């Protein structure tokens, strides 16, 4: 009987721990490219963040985007992104680096990050610098 009670207590404890909310560095939303296009048409005061290299950015980027390469996002505040509550729409070439950068931004305390994949699927205008 004591063994059964111990087993039930362990199971109950396991359920309680697994149901508890977890803090995560991936506190960002992922949306489709079409949702990003719609968001850019309806929202105000947002930043479009290109996290590719400077050379990739200069070869062609979404109009109005700023470039902060994923590799430069670390543990320090980012001068180009002073408002941690501002809507930040993040993209890269294919979607991999934008996910990495979005996780890093969340870990730095940015609260309104939306990752929408890669410029490869961008249906709109692209400008070169």
């Amino acid at each position: 009987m004591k063994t059964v009670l111990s087993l039930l207590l362990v199971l109950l404890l396991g359920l309680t721990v697994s149901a508890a909310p977890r803090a995560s560095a991936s506190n960002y939303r992922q949306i489709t490219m079409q949702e990003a296009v719609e968001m850019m048409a309806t929202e105000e005061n947002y930043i479009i963040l290109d996290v590719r290299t400077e050379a990739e950015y200069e070869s062609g980027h979404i109009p109005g985007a700023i470039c902060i390469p994923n590799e430069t996002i670390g543990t320090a505040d980012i001068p180009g992104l002073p408002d941690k509550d501002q809507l930040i729409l993040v993209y890269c070439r294919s979607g991999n680096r934008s996910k990495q950068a979005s996780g890093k931004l969340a870990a730095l305390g940015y609260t309104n990050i939306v990752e929408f994949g890669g410029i490869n699927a961008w249906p709109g205008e692209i400008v070169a610098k």
Side-chain angles (χ1 to χ4, degrees):
M1 182 69 173
K2 194 173 189 181
T3 305
V4 171
L5 286 175
S6 295
L7 181 60
L8 286 174
L9 182 59
V10 168
L11 288 173
L12 183 58
L13 182 59
L15 288 173
T16 303
V17 169
S18 66
R22 291 187 172 104
S24 170
S26 333
N27 291 332
Y28 63 89
R29 292 187 300 154
Q30 288 183 271
I31 62 172
T32 67
M33 187 64 65
Q34 185 56 43
E35 290 171 317
V37 169
E38 292 169 9
M39 188 174 274
M40 289 176 200
T42 59
E43 294 289 331
E44 294 180 3
N45 193 30
Y46 59 85
I47 290 176
I48 304 170
L49 179 59
D50 186 325
V51 295
R52 299 175 299 153
T53 65
E54 190 70 37
E56 289 174 298
Y57 174 81
E58 289 177 2
S59 71
H61 57 273
I62 296 172
I66 64 168
C67 180
I68 300 175
N70 176 45
E71 296 77 17
T72 66
I73 301 172
T75 57
D77 284 344
I78 302 167
L81 302 172
D83 182 355
K84 291 194 174 187
D85 296 321
Q86 185 174 20
L87 175 59
I88 303 172
L89 301 163
V90 184
Y91 76 94
C92 63
R93 182 184 57 81
S94 65
N96 185 41
R97 287 177 284 178
S98 58
K99 288 176 184 59
Q100 293 172 8
S102 294
K104 292 179 193 180
L105 291 170
L108 287 171
Y110 291 89
T111 62
N112 200 3
I113 306 159
V114 178
E115 188 274 330
F116 67 95
I119 195 169
N120 288 348
W122 178 249
E125 178 185 4
I126 294 177
V127 295
K129 194 170 189 181

